[in-house]
Amino acid sequence: MVAGADAPTGPVTTSGRAGAEPAQAARVWRRAQTRALEGIAAAAAFPWLEPWAGPRLSALTGAVEQARGTVARCVDPRELLTAACVAALPVPVGLQEGLSECAGSWGVDGEWLLLEAWTRWQSACAEGEAQVANCVRAASAVVYEAFGRRRKGRDEALDSVQRLITASIDQGRRHAAKEHAGPVRLIRMAIPLLEAEPFTGREHDPLTPWQAGVIAVYQSGVDWPAGEVSLAAPRAVADLLLGG
């Protein structure tokens, strides 16, 4: 991936959600994108096929762009930006202060467990399988794992985790508002192809749901022969995409 220059940003609009379920729409788009890239590479190796392959590849790349538009309408750019800002948050300080209700129940490992819960939530946000507020489930799982079948103190521990994450979400949204008003970053990146597992043939996408959403929403151009896309994204989004 190669970073480019900064450019002024315009207002981000939120499109209406498409009827297709976002994950399914992304799968359709990525399959079509992979087939188009593979077809273009094959045609380049046999240029005499151009009269036959050219119109078909043109139709296929058009279908890819239609599928990308469907994905973009399923994704809220504000959530992409908030997730990027959350992923950049430093580890909260003073975690012990957040353990007033659950320290006794969690014992000496309480501070470490609270940090583990927050870290899992942050990672889930960066993966983008759910909105940042819904990613609290990843943090709650740490509490359930720590308590097992014990119920005493569990609700207090869950409440402490929820308060910590709510404060972090507020912090992430404040950062996102500043990023939204700032410049965008222009980048180019290679388009990863879908991968197939060697024995089952099952498809695997090297892109996380967050990365796929970013490419769908912020794509400004595509170089099919080179297998690259151009993006114009807020700096926090570009930084996570380049670093992630």
Side-chain angles (χ1 to χ4, degrees):
M1 301 179 185
V2 180
D6 288 334
T9 184
V12 175
T13 58
T14 304
S15 301
R17 291 187 178 275
E21 196 268 338
Q24 177 62 28
R27 282 192 292 271
V28 170
W29 167 53
R30 292 284 289 140
R31 283 173 186 153
Q33 190 182 54
T34 295
R35 292 192 184 102
L37 289 168
E38 291 173 341
I40 288 168
F46 304 98
W48 57 87
L49 293 176
E50 170 59 27
W52 175 84
R56 290 165 173 78
L57 290 174
S58 179
L60 183 52
T61 55
V64 172
E65 285 306 294
Q66 285 187 335
R68 183 182 68 85
T70 300
V71 175
R73 289 189 293 273
C74 291
V75 177
D76 187 344
R78 297 170 300 183
E79 281 294 316
L80 296 175
L81 179 54
T82 300
C85 292
V86 162
L89 288 177
V91 173
V93 296
L95 285 179
Q96 191 64 42
E97 297 174 3
L99 292 167
S100 55
E101 292 87 353
C102 64
S105 300
W106 278 11
V108 295
D109 292 330
E111 186 171 3
W112 178 87
L113 288 168
L114 190 58
L115 174 59
E116 175 68 12
W118 186 88
T119 301
R120 285 203 204 174
W121 166 76
Q122 186 184 46
S123 297
C125 292
E127 293 289 318
E129 293 187 356
Q131 295 184 343
V132 293
N134 292 336
C135 287
V136 72
R137 296 172 188 149
S140 299
V142 175
V143 178
Y144 286 104
E145 290 167 10
F147 277 79
R149 298 175 65 88
R150 287 189 301 122
R151 296 182 60 88
K152 183 178 179 180
R154 188 176 65 189
D155 289 344
E156 291 81 358
L158 288 169
D159 183 63
S160 291
V161 168
Q162 181 65 64
R163 290 202 316 273
L164 176 64
I165 288 176
T166 296
S168 295
I169 290 174
D170 292 342
Q171 186 180 359
R173 294 202 188 283
R174 288 194 298 270
H175 289 175
K178 294 177 182 177
E179 287 283 335
H180 172 60
V184 298
R185 190 174 178 186
L186 307 179
I187 60 176
R188 286 174 65 90
M189 63 172 289
I191 306 171
L193 302 180
L194 292 178
E195 301 169 353
E197 296 180 1
F199 298 109
T200 66
R202 184 177 301 170
E203 288 180 341
H204 167 70
D205 195 340
L207 293 177
T208 66
W210 183 88
Q211 290 170 331
V214 165
I215 295 171
V217 168
Y218 294 109
Q219 178 180 306
S220 59
V222 57
D223 183 341
W224 286 108
E228 294 181 340
V229 289
S230 301
L231 307 174
R235 297 176 78 170
V237 170
D239 288 346
L240 180 57
L241 186 64
L242 292 171

